[in-house]
Amino acid sequence: MFDSAIIGGGPAAMSAALNLKIRNKSFIMLAGNEKVTGLSKAPSIDNYLGINSISGAELLLSFEKHLRDMEIEKKNEMAYNILNMGDYFAINAGSNFYDAKTLIIATGKAKNSLIEGEERYLGMGVGYCATCDGPLYKNKAVAIVSENEEGEEEARFLSEICSKVYYLPLYKTSFEEINGIEVIKAKPISVIGNENRVTSLSTSKGNIDVDAVFFIRNVLPVNQLLEGLELEDGSIKVDRLMATSIPGVYACGDCAGKPFQISKAVGEGSTAALSAVKYLDSSVEVK
Amino acid sequence: MFDSAIIGGGPAAMSAALNLKIRNKSFIMLAGNEKVTGLSKAPSIDNYLGINSISGAELLLSFEKHLRDMEIEKKNEMAYNILNMGDYFAINAGSNFYDAKTLIIATGKAKNSLIEGEERYLGMGVGYCATCDGPLYKNKAVAIVSENEEGEEEARFLSEICSKVYYLPLYKTSFEEINGIEVIKAKPISVIGNENRVTSLSTSKGNIDVDAVFFIRNVLPVNQLLEGLELEDGSIKVDRLMATSIPGVYACGDCAGKPFQISKAVGEGSTAALSAVKYLDSSVEVK
């Protein structure tokens, strides 16, 4: 049981980690797919006080170095789903499960790009983690819609189980057809189904008959991550101390709203961590 | 007429300045007495992401360098009073006056150390700026209660006008009696007066008969700075975008509440500046 789990790996998450470490709290940092970050592409950043005229990539390196110096480990695992167990949280990170007394959510800018039917059929054929739910579709046809290369591994895994895997990459890739994987370069339009099951995926190049559609996203829709999190204008609703609508859960950085700035994310990460520490120190120990 | 006036000179104020500069807004930064800062005394700071194991003094130097590199000037002037003129703000900084369309208040941790009678007699003998109000007490006896060396200059100035100046330093100093200045090492207890005027200052070493008491503070009580600013738990009440209860006025850093952390102050400074920019860009031009 960790004192805290940090969900994310960007500036807000890293800042939260520093503060938890300094306050001697045990924590796990689930950074997800590290390759994906807007910051690493910024040509020049001038408004992070104390570090002038630096590229986003270099600034990230200095952030990473700070974490290494303090012996903080980022795990390249993605949290797919979190259950509120009352006095702790159970985190499903694909092949691993973790328990933590508090959560610090720093998943970055939420994308409101759910396609039609995606939410409607969630858990009825729509999923976000092929590793988790794949076995349910043994000998069936499935589609994977992926925003990044992680989906290719998921496709290989599913091709061992399923009768057919359709792979729709939403990024540039030279990924090729192998053993029952068919790569389709098309835009997904909607998930179609009957009353309680997915039956097909509609795309810009026609319909594909499948029993399941997995979406591999850079950022998971936050309301899929943890049930009951109150949102406001598409971001996680927080107060000035970064507390969300769920006790013990804090959010920081872009997922907690505008402006999308590094210094704001870093400041909020620090505040979220200190609020979690306060919560932990005032809580009765979980047995 | 400036687009914005930044009141303060610490991390939040500096971060706000960077962002206003990048956004091409005209502004003035009234940093007050620079010598006074808690940050400069911190032996080691480990939780400002990207800059590890640094003393407060060194971190401040890197902040100051960033400002110089961007050609941002800090003025060592203190804002004593600000009037809300409806579509702009008039700032009294002692011998200078400035007008600005927006305000960014970053005055640091508010101290709730008003002494008895101080607020009661404000403007009736109690003042915060000897340079401003001194001439009203020509040939009269006044007391100066000062938290820093700035008070010594004020005392010298008043000694040329007033019949007698009592100087109560609340810091270590070797400041000596000269031309009608009497240094009293005592704790001020209360301001005493009749219905509408100050008559004396009560101290730990007895009463002193005076017509005025000037308090020279490191941080001005924020509700003396600008009338109508809503407070909450002794801090300036702000929303998530750093907007205060007065349109066009933003607050950031320690004066906007806990936690008192550099990264939080820096993040909020950035947000406050961006909110001011948005306000300016959406406002009708002041003629």
Side-chain angles (χ1 to χ4, degrees):
Chain A
M1 172 78 70
F2 291 99
D3 286 327
S4 193
I6 300 172
I7 315 297
M14 290 193 263
S15 178
L18 292 186
N19 285 278
L20 288 178
K21 181 83 181 186
I22 289 171
R23 295 302 187 100
N24 276 323
K25 298 300 177 192
S26 67
F27 63 94
I28 188 165
M29 186 173 183
L30 301 172
N33 180 354
E34 282 220 69
K35 289 162 217 151
V36 187
T37 157
L39 177 53
S40 59
K41 289 175 194 157
S44 178
I45 292 166
D46 295 319
N47 69 345
Y48 187 71
L49 187 63
I51 304 180
N52 195 14
S53 275
I54 192 168
S55 73
E58 282 172 298
L59 186 57
L60 257 182
L61 285 178
S62 80
F63 289 176
E64 304 277 3
K65 182 179 181 307
H66 196 158
L67 260 63
R68 279 197 310 278
D69 287 351
M70 293 185 63
E71 295 174 0
I72 293 168
E73 187 201 2
K74 268 186 177 187
K75 281 197 185 295
N76 289 341
E77 294 178 29
M78 188 141 180
Y80 292 103
N81 191 250
I82 301 175
L83 292 178
N84 184 348
M85 309 300 282
D87 49 5
Y88 70 98
F89 300 90
I91 301 152
N92 167 1
S95 34
N96 293 312
F97 290 82
Y98 304 101
D99 290 340
K101 295 178 202 166
T102 62
L103 292 178
I104 295 178
I105 301 179
T107 46
K109 208 184 295 184
K111 295 195 183 161
N112 297 313
S113 55
L114 297 202
I115 70 169
E116 202 190 315
E118 180 176 339
E119 194 162 12
R120 158 81 175 78
Y121 289 105
L122 181 67
M124 295 183 283
V126 168
Y128 295 105
C129 173
T131 308
C132 316
D133 303 337
L136 299 172
Y137 303 99
K138 199 172 168 181
N139 297 327
K140 296 194 168 170
V142 301
I144 298 179
V145 175
S146 181
E147 293 182 357
N148 59 57
E149 285 161 13
E150 225 171 84
E152 300 173 12
E153 257 180 68
E154 301 279 50
R156 279 188 210 102
F157 166 69
L158 288 182
S159 72
E160 294 165 12
I161 302 174
C162 305
S163 59
K164 178 84 186 177
V165 176
Y166 299 96
Y167 190 71
L168 285 79
L170 302 179
Y171 59 98
K172 281 189 187 169
T173 179
S174 53
F175 185 59
E176 287 183 354
E177 335 268 334
I178 41 160
N179 325 330
I181 301 177
E182 184 177 339
V183 178
I184 301 181
K185 301 207 166 160
K187 222 184 112 162
I189 294 170
S190 64
V191 177
I192 298 168
N194 58 28
E195 207 175 309
N196 51 18
R197 297 297 322 160
V198 167
T199 56
S200 67
L201 174 67
S202 157
T203 83
S204 55
K205 294 189 180 163
N207 277 16
I208 313 167
D209 287 343
V210 289
D211 292 292
V213 183
F214 291 102
F215 292 89
I216 314 300
R217 296 189 188 280
N218 297 331
V219 177
L220 216 61
V222 85
N223 47 351
Q224 308 301 351
L225 189 64
L226 176 62
E227 211 173 319
L229 256 194
E230 205 175 319
L231 302 187
E232 192 169 51
D233 301 328
S235 303
I236 300 174
K237 190 177 176 184
V238 290
D239 65 14
R240 291 265 303 137
L241 295 172
M242 310 323 289
T244 69
S245 58
I246 302 175
V249 181
Y250 305 87
C252 49
D254 290 356
C255 68
K258 287 188 197 175
F260 302 134
Q261 293 288 328
I262 301 164
S263 60
K264 176 223 173 230
V266 170
E268 290 185 352
S270 155
T271 299
L274 296 177
S275 293
V277 167
K278 202 168 180 183
Y279 176 88
L280 286 162
D281 291 348
S282 67
S283 292
V284 178
E285 195 65 13
V286 178
K287 270 141 225 146
Chain B
M1 173 76 71
F2 292 98
D3 286 327
S4 192
I6 301 172
I7 315 296
M14 291 193 265
S15 178
L18 292 186
N19 286 278
L20 288 179
K21 180 84 181 185
I22 290 170
R23 294 302 186 101
N24 275 323
K25 298 301 176 190
S26 66
F27 63 94
I28 189 166
M29 186 174 183
L30 301 171
N33 180 352
E34 280 220 69
K35 290 162 215 153
V36 188
T37 158
L39 176 54
S40 59
K41 291 177 193 155
S44 178
I45 293 167
D46 295 319
N47 69 345
Y48 187 72
L49 187 63
I51 304 181
N52 195 13
S53 277
I54 192 168
S55 73
E58 283 173 297
L59 187 57
L60 257 182
L61 284 179
S62 80
F63 287 177
E64 304 277 3
K65 182 179 181 307
H66 196 158
L67 260 63
R68 278 197 310 279
D69 287 352
M70 292 185 63
E71 296 175 359
I72 293 168
E73 187 202 2
K74 267 188 180 187
K75 281 198 185 294
N76 288 340
E77 295 178 28
M78 188 137 179
Y80 292 103
N81 190 251
I82 302 174
L83 292 177
N84 185 347
M85 310 300 281
D87 49 6
Y88 71 98
F89 300 90
I91 301 153
N92 168 1
S95 35
N96 293 313
F97 289 83
Y98 304 101
D99 290 340
K101 294 178 204 167
T102 63
L103 291 178
I104 295 177
I105 301 178
T107 47
K109 208 184 292 183
K111 294 195 184 162
N112 297 314
S113 56
L114 297 200
I115 70 168
E116 201 190 317
E118 180 177 339
E119 194 163 12
R120 160 83 176 77
Y121 289 105
L122 182 68
M124 295 184 283
V126 168
Y128 295 105
C129 174
T131 308
C132 315
D133 303 338
L136 299 173
Y137 302 100
K138 199 172 168 180
N139 298 325
K140 297 195 168 168
V142 301
I144 298 178
V145 175
S146 181
E147 292 182 357
N148 60 56
E149 285 161 14
E150 225 171 84
E152 300 174 13
E153 258 180 67
E154 300 279 50
R156 279 188 210 102
F157 166 67
L158 288 182
S159 72
E160 295 165 13
I161 302 173
C162 305
S163 59
K164 179 84 185 177
V165 176
Y166 298 97
Y167 190 71
L168 285 80
L170 301 180
Y171 60 97
K172 281 191 188 166
T173 179
S174 53
F175 185 58
E176 287 182 354
E177 334 268 332
I178 41 160
N179 323 331
I181 301 177
E182 185 177 338
V183 177
I184 300 180
K185 299 208 165 160
K187 224 185 112 163
I189 293 170
S190 64
V191 177
I192 298 169
N194 57 29
E195 207 174 306
N196 51 18
R197 298 295 324 158
V198 166
T199 56
S200 67
L201 174 66
S202 158
T203 82
S204 56
K205 294 188 179 163
N207 277 16
I208 313 167
D209 286 344
V210 289
D211 292 292
V213 183
F214 291 103
F215 293 89
I216 313 301
R217 297 189 189 282
N218 296 332
V219 177
L220 217 60
V222 86
N223 46 351
Q224 307 302 351
L225 189 65
L226 176 62
E227 212 173 318
L229 256 195
E230 205 174 320
L231 303 186
E232 192 169 52
D233 301 329
S235 304
I236 301 174
K237 190 177 177 185
V238 291
D239 66 13
R240 290 266 303 138
L241 295 172
M242 303 295 140
T244 69
S245 57
I246 302 176
V249 180
Y250 305 86
C252 48
D254 290 357
C255 68
K258 287 188 197 174
F260 302 135
Q261 293 288 328
I262 301 164
S263 60
K264 175 223 174 231
V266 170
E268 290 185 352
S270 155
T271 299
L274 296 176
S275 293
V277 168
K278 202 168 181 185
Y279 177 88
L280 286 162
D281 291 348
S282 67
S283 293
V284 178
E285 194 66 15
V286 177
K287 270 141 223 141

